């Protein structure tokens, strides 16, 4: 494999922390709903990005595949809003 | 990662045809559960033509009822009491007829013909591959389409009859049996489409992978024949649109069976949600039904006028543009649905813009025949008809795209006229062109040109006599999906025109038998096809008809674009893509960068 | 198309004719070009096709012109669209409009009239089945609702069409410019009775309207459909009767 | 490949596609359609929720968040084990491959198990997809959307587990090598994608 391995455990720890953070934010913090939603969604997307980049190796794929992988996201957003 | 995996499987490690020892697959592997893309293409052809016949038969019944309302239909006596007591069609059966007609034609005739048949026939041959990337997946794609089709067909005989809520299946009508009188049928409709969705997905994954990864040396992106470009974009549309339909159909099925209320207002569900999901899939779907047709027409028109396609890059660009815009126009089906009128305005804009890339295609087709040397072989006739008819359908689309005008013509026969001008006049004529063009390659026999021309003439004339008056019916205010227009005083004056339409509709149906007969007859009796009957350029014409299992004996090399017709100073007026340039001057393509077609610079 | 009978009818038709002219011209242009080329360049002994890969200039021309044309169509269409839907004041009809409620259900239209006080949901409201009566020269605002499936409220002569969606109340308005009786239809497939879900719209002189309303209130009683339609129903219902049971 | 060589002699070098081998590209393409599928469901969820906010109970009120948080944790772990399995076979470490695959299967199966347990408990509390029998906090659409989204994700996990078992069997048969491990890689892609979907769903369905 061309690239050097990322430290998978580190990514795992990362995800773990973020998940705990999410649950905390959702329950402890008395933030207003909109802010809450915004924070939670950004955290979720952040985690998703980590998985895609490191576990699915998107980070190390030829750019053309990355483009291909990101292509439908606008549509996904379109349908969801 | 090991290099063998990086490059090899894609291009070099393919199982090329081996003339030295004959193809010794057992019958069942060869003709039934075959993984050979050519066989699968043929299978798709027979399946879809069958369903085209079914859809046509249903249309004949529709037209009978509208032409002679309440009259017993000749031979209608054979239908059971629940459909047509004494040959008189019942209103609930009429609704099923319309629904099933639309469903079969769109999902089981035109779509599998364009995508299933042509996709399988053309992609590996045109890009110079030995087969699809995933032959077994390809086989599954076909063998899941078949049961889907027959489930749909079976719904006619179940309790309560076939789905009757229109091919658009708007809930609550489609979700609540008490409203429509149809229970099982409506559920089978969902199930069948979900299965068909899987079939289409498998196809799309295959096409995309094959086109991206398995192009022969020198087959750069801008040297791909236009049918491949359009099928590539179509595959992307399928890949991203079908899951939406599947999701919606599943939710609808839940509403019908386990009692959820996604689309039912009682508990806060949203009838309009279905319409948004359906049309978010639905409009890309209609471009799935036209883009491959455009590709085929381009191929045939360039061949028929012995001239390079006019503005190849623009043609490619237009395909991409249409596909992209197709994602942001779905609201134009919902102008009168209660959707926010301001959204209506923006959807009107995006919809209208699509006229522009379409314009590019139309005028480039004209540019292609301009100063050409036009040979009127049957495929060419149908391709020219495609252009002529698609323009009418497209222009009528512009009326509906204008929100205020759509207020009046929405859900009238004006829409029905539009549908048929784009789907029959567009897609189906291109399909005819394509079948006449490639049948020899895949069955080794020519279709009879005489029968072909007769079929074309009859179809073209009758077709216009049937569908053009529908514009006027629509402007007269005649609604769609009505069993008996004479219920309305203001529609009674239209009855003569309805009868007129019906007469020629029957004639149109009958004249299709010529085609039917032509195919069956030519399969056994047609004259043997040479390897390149149309003196065409793309790779498949260099092979035997039909090509051997594995297609090419060795990886072909591609030296130029597919439309090098009438190249000055060549004896022949065509120039195969894989013929090494004379003088052996190799224009080695580099990566994805195109070489100006064939022109030694 | 029937002669328009509403204030915005003529406007809608004018857009229709504008588009008809534009597309008509394009249609003629394209098809004649096609035919001329087909004849002019048909195969003859010794003809050689020109070898060209196209012309950027030409392509730009026939990209830009259609673009401008459609922009014009959109521009022309949008004003009248907003007028009809009154999107700017979220569907609200003109202030002095007569409020009505139309509730669609398989397979009939029930019209609630506000009565003399011109307020809906008051004691003097009364309901008529399949009959819409409006005064001429005065805007009416209709709250469109549906009890079961999606129907579509279609007044051909008035260029009015609006789906009636269960769970939603959708405002519709129009102002009649001609007296007389006009057809009212259902334009959205709504089941086996869709094709006969018809009603009639009667436009009165203002005075007549009040007289009619007074008479109706005097007659009072439960929501009635006019006998004439009922008669027809009875005599036509032989075919679909058993169908109706199943539905 | 002799023909190939012959071509190379006088013709341009082979197109390399996008330098990703077929099966992997195919898997990616398939995952894109999965993205659209779940987007469709999420889109429907959002529209329905905006239309009827009152039908959604406050987070944690009806749903058992701690339990699911733990489930999420397991799925995340299963992603690590999966990627370790892949890393192992890349170096031809057969033992490692089998060990990590097994771990992934266990974690995946556990996830499904806990989800089923969760469903049973919820149904007992009258949290059902069926509108007529809905008896929990919030409204029926809460239940319908919940079961549809988590259900389809659960189905994906279950299928994933089956495929993992299949992969493990092949691994035991020594089918994969340092040179040939595409099977493991695309298995991983699918598995991580399912994990990814859950990360989104967990937030949207349970926390918001
Ligand atoms: C192959 C299928 C196909 C294709 C290609 C199209 C193409 C188009 N369609 Fe059509 N459409 C359908 C299939 C298709 N449609 C179907 C099946 C329905 C009915 C669904 C149902 O059952 O309800 C439908 C319904 C439908 C509606 C909804 C009507 C209603 O229900 O009220 C609308 C409204 O905007 C519309 C618009 C268009 C437009 C603008 C195009 C454009 O793409 C057309 C573009 C082409 C041209 C414009 C012609 C060529 C261009 C030129 C010659 C250049 C010059 C032109 C101008 C400057 C204007 N279509
Ligand atoms: C590709 C799509 C397609 C095609 C080809 C057709 C073909 C025809 N359709 Fe179409 N139609 C639709 C798609 C299509 N239709 C759709 C989507 C709707 C909307 C449905 C809805 O409202 O929900 C519709 C609705 C519709 C209506 C409106 C019904 C209503 O609203 O009440 C009518 C009415 O006249 C009609 C008539 C016809 C006729 C007379 C034909 C004739 O052209 C048919 C002629 C016969 C054939 C084309 C079959 C010939 C067979 C072969 C050529 C195969 C030969 C076989 C072998 C070789 C094995 N159709
Ligand atoms: Cu009511 Cu159609
Ligand atoms: Cu559309």
């Amino acid at each position: 494999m061309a690239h050097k391995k990322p430290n998978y455990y580190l990514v795992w720890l990362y995800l773990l922390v973020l998940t705990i953070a999410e649950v905390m934010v959702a329950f402890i913090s008395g933030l207003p709903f909109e802010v809450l939603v915004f924070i939670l969604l950004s955290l979720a997307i952040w985690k998703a990005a980590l998985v895609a980049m490191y576990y699915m190796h998107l980070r190390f794929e030829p750019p053309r595949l990355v483009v291909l992988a990101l292509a439908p996201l606008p549509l996904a957003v379109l349908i969801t809003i | 990662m090991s290099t063998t995996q990086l490059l090899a499987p894609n291009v070099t490690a393919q199982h090329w045809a081996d003339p030295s020892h004959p193809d010794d697959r057992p019958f069942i592997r060869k003709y039934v559960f075959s993984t050979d893309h050519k066989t699968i293409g043929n299978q798709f052809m027979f399946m879809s033509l069958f369903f085209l016949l079914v859809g046509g038969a249903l249309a004949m019944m529709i037209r009978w009822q509208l032409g002679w309302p309440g009259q017993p239909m000749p031979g209608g006596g054979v239908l059971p009491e629940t459909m047509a007591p004494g040959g008189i069609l019942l209103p609930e059966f009429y609704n099923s007829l319309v629904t099933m007609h639309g469903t079969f034609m769109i999902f089981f005739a035109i779509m599998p013909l364009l995508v299933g048949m042509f996709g399988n026939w053309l992609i590996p041959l045109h890009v110079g591959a030995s087969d699809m990337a995933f032959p077994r997946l390809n086989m599954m794609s076909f063998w899941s389409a078949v049961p889907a089709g027959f489930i749909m067909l079976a719904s006619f005989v179940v309790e309560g009859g076939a789905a009757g809520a229109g091919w658009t299946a708007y809930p609550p009508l489609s979700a609540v049996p008490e409203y429509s009188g149809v229970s099982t049928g409506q559920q089978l409709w969902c199930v069948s489409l979900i299965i068909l969705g899987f079939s289409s997905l498998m196809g799309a994954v295959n096409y995309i992978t094959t086109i991206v990864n398995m192009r022969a040396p020198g087959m750069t992106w801008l040297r791909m024949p236009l049918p491949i470009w359009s099928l590539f974009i179509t595959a992307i549309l399928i890949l991203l649109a079908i899951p939406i339909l599947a999701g919606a159909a599943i939710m609808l099925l839940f509403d019908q069976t386990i009692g959820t209320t996604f689309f039912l207002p009682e508990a806060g569900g949203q009838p309009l949600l279905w319409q948004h999901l359906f049309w978010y899939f639905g409009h890309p779907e209609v471009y799935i039904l036209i883009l491959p047709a455009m590709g085929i027409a381009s191929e045939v028109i360039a061949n028929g006028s012995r001239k390079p396609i006019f503005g190849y890059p623009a043609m490619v660009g237009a395909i991409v543009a249409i596909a992209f815009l197709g994602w942001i126009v779905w609201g134009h089906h919902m102008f009168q649905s209660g959707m926010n009128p301001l959204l209506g305005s923006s959807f009107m804009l995006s919809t209208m813009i699509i006229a522009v890339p379409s314009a590019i295609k139309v005028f480039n087709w004209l540019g292609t025949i301009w100063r050409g040397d036009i040979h009127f072989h049957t495929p060419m006739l149908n391709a020219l008809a495609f252009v002529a008819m698609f323009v009418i359908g497209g222009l009528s689309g512009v009326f509906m795209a204008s929100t205020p005008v759509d207020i009046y013509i929405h859900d009238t026969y004006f829409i029905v006229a539009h549908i048929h001008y784009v789907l029959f006049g567009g897609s189906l004529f291109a399909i005819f062109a394509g079948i006449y063009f490639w049948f020899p390659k895949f069955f080794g026999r020519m279709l009879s040109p005489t029968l072909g021309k007769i079929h074309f003439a009859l179809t073209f004339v009758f077709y216009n006599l049937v569908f053009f008056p529908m514009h006027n019916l629509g402007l007269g205010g005649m609604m769609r999906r009505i069993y008996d227009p004479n219920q309305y005083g203001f529609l009674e004056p239209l009855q003569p025109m309805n009868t007129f339409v019906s007469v020629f509709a029957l004639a149109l149906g009958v004249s299709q038998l010529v085609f039917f007969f032509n195919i069956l007859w030519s399969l056994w009796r047609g004259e043997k096809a040479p390897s390149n009957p149309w003196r065409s350029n793309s790779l498949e014409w260099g092979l035997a008809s039909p090509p051997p299992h594995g297609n090419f004996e060795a990886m072909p090399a591609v030296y130029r674009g597919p439309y090098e017709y009438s190249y000055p100073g060549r004896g022949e007026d065509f120039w195969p893509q894989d013929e090494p340039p004379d003088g052996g001057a190799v224009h080695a393509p580099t990566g994805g960068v195109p070489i100006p077609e064939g022109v030694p610079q | 198309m029937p002669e328009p009978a509403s204030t915005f009818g003529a406007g809608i038709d004018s857009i229709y004719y504008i588009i008809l002219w534009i597309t008509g011209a394009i249609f003629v242009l394209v098809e004649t070009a096609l035919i001329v080329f087909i004849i002019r360049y048909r195969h003859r002994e010794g003809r050689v096709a020109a070898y060209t890969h196209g012309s950027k200039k030409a392509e730009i021309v026939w990209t830009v012109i259609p673009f401008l044309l459609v922009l014009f169509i959109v521009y022309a269409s949008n004003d009248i669209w907003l007028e009809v839907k009154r999107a700017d004041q979220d569907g609200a009809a003109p202030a002095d409009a007569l409020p009505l409620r139309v509730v669609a259900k398989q397979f009939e239209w029930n019209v609630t009239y506000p009565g003399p006080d011109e307020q809906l949901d008051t004691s003097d409201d009364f309901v008529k089945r399949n009959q819409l009566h409006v005064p001429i020269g005065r805007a009416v605002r209709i709250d469109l609702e549906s009890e079961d499936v999606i129907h579509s409220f279609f007044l051909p002569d008035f260029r009015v069409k609006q789906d009636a969606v269960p769970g939603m109340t959708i405002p519709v308005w129009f102002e009649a410019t001609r007296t007389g009786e006009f057809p009212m239809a259902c334009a959205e497939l709504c089941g086996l009775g869709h094709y006969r879900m018809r009603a009639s719209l009667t436009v009165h002189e203002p005075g007549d309207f009040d007289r009619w309303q007074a008479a109706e209130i005097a007659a009072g009683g439960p929501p009635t459909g006019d006998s004439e339609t009922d008669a027809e129903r009875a005599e036509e219902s032989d075919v679909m009767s058993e169908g109706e049971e199943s539905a | 490949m002799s023909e190939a060589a012959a071509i190379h002699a006088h013709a341009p070098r082979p197109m390399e596609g996008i330098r990703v081998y077929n099966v992997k590209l195919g898997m990616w393409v398939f995952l894109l359609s999965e993205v659209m599928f779940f987007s469709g469901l999420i889109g429907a969820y959002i529209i329905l929720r905006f239309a009827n906010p009152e039908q959604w109970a406050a987070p944690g009120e009806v749903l058992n968040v701690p339990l699911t948080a733990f489930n999420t944790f397991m799925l995340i772990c299963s992603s690590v084990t999966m990627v370790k399995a892949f890393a192992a076979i890349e170096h031809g470490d057969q033992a490692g491959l089998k060990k990590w695959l097994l771990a992934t299967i266990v974690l995946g199966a556990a996830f499904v198990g806990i989800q089923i347990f969760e469903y049973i408990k919820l149904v007992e509390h009258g949290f059902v997809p069926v509108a007529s029998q809905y008896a929990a906090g919030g409204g029926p659409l809460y239940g319908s959307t919940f079961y549809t989204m988590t259900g389809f994700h659960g189905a994906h996990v279950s299928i994933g587990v089956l495929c993992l078992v299949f992969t493990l069997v092949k691994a035991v048969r020594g089918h994969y090598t340092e040179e040939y491990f595409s099977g493991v890689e695309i298995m991983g892609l699918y598995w991580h994608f399912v994990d990814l979907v859950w990360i989104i769903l967990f937030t949207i369905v349970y926390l918001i």
Side-chain angles (χ1 to χ4, degrees), chain B residues 85 88-92 95 99 164-166 168 170-173 177-181 265-266 271-272 275 305-315 335-342 344-345 348-349 352-353 355-356 359-360 362-364 366-367 369-376 384 387-389 391-392 395-396 398-399 402-412 414 468 475-484 487-490 563-568 597-599, chain C residues 1-2 11-13 15-17 19-24 26-27 29-31 33-35 37-44 47-56 58-59 62-64 66-68 70-71 73-78 80-82 84-88 91 106-107 109 147-150 152 154-157 159-168 170 183-199 232 236 239-240 242-244 246-247:
Chain B
I88 300 173
L89 303 175
L90 292 175
E92 52 268 56
N95 290 346
T99 306
T168 53
Y170 283 3
L173 183 64
E178 289 67 30
Y179 291 151
S180 61
E266 292 78 51
L272 286 194
Q275 294 185 26
S305 36
R306 319 303 303 161
K307 202 162 156 289
I309 199 84
F310 195 93
Y312 175 97
M315 287 302 242
F335 287 149
Q336 322 309 337
S337 68
M339 176 182 74
N340 179 340
L342 293 173
S345 302
M348 160 164 64
L349 179 62
M352 290 274 188
I353 304 281
V356 176
I360 298 177
V362 168
F363 291 120
N364 280 3
L366 290 179
I369 62 173
W370 168 72
R371 293 178 58 208
D373 169 25
I374 306 175
H375 292 58
F376 297 102
L384 292 170
V387 177
M389 297 298 106
V391 169
I392 300 180
L395 292 175
S396 67
V398 173
F399 286 80
S402 162
T403 42
V405 179
D406 188 59
I407 294 176
Y408 181 66
I409 58 179
H410 170 65
D411 271 334
T412 65
F414 198 94
F468 203 84
L475 294 174
M478 179 173 168
M479 296 77 76
R480 297 170 65 175
R481 301 166 171 176
I482 51 173
Y483 163 76
D484 175 8
Q487 286 291 318
Y488 291 90
F490 76 105
Y563 302 115
E564 289 310 301
Y565 292 105
S566 308
Y567 184 68
E597 273 93 337
V599 201
Chain C
M1 288 189 288
I12 291 180
D13 291 9
I15 301 291
Y16 167 80
Y17 287 110
I19 300 179
L20 186 61
W21 278 112
I22 295 180
T23 53
I26 294 165
F27 170 73
L29 182 128
V30 171
E31 305 290 351
L34 191 62
I35 293 165
F37 291 173
I38 287 178
I39 297 168
R40 171 82 176 65
Y41 302 115
R42 66 192 184 283
H43 175 64
R44 283 279 165 277
R47 157 182 301 287
V48 270
Y51 179 82
T52 161
H53 288 96
S55 132
K56 288 273 161 300
E59 290 179 42
W62 60 57
T63 309
V64 172
F67 185 65
L68 299 178
V70 289
L71 283 192
I73 297 178
V74 171
Y75 170 76
S77 305
N78 205 35
I80 177 81
W81 168 249
L82 295 183
V84 175
K85 296 290 176 181
R86 299 184 70 90
D88 36 359
Q106 290 179 324
F107 297 100
W109 302 93
E147 284 182 18
D148 37 37
V149 301
I150 299 178
S152 193
F154 183 26
L155 300 171
D157 308 80
R159 312 293 188 265
V160 169
K161 187 182 283 128
Q162 175 58 59
D163 288 4
V165 183
M168 293 172 77
I170 304 171
M184 169 172 153
C186 177
E188 183 68 65
L189 178 62
C190 54
L192 59 93
H194 163 57
Y195 70 100
R196 58 187 163 80
M197 183 167 167
R198 66 174 163 353
E232 279 184 10
E236 91 210 357
V239 182
M240 62 288 313
E242 79 275 83
E244 243 143 4
S246 81

Side-chain angles (χ1 to χ4, degrees), chain C residues 107-123:
Chain C
F107 297 100
E108 62 190 44
W109 302 93
N110 289 310
V111 187
T112 311
Y113 294 86
D117 69 351
E118 306 205 335
Q119 299 291 330
L120 282 170
D121 307 313
T122 52
S123 55

Side-chain angles (χ1 to χ4, degrees), chain B residues 49 52-53 56 59-60 62-63 94 98 101-102 105-106 110 166-167 413 416 419-420 423-424 428 467 470 480-482 505 508 512 515-516 519:
Chain B
L49 284 182
L52 184 62
L53 206 54
M60 298 301 110
I62 294 176
R63 274 330 306 183
Y94 180 87
V98 174
H101 167 68
M105 284 299 194
I106 287 194
I110 302 303
W167 84 281
Y413 265 67
V416 178
I419 297 177
H420 292 91
L423 279 171
F424 191 127
L428 196 52
F467 293 110
M470 286 190 186
R480 297 170 65 175
R481 301 166 171 176
I482 51 173
L508 175 62
Q512 298 311 316
F515 178 71
F516 188 85
I519 288 200

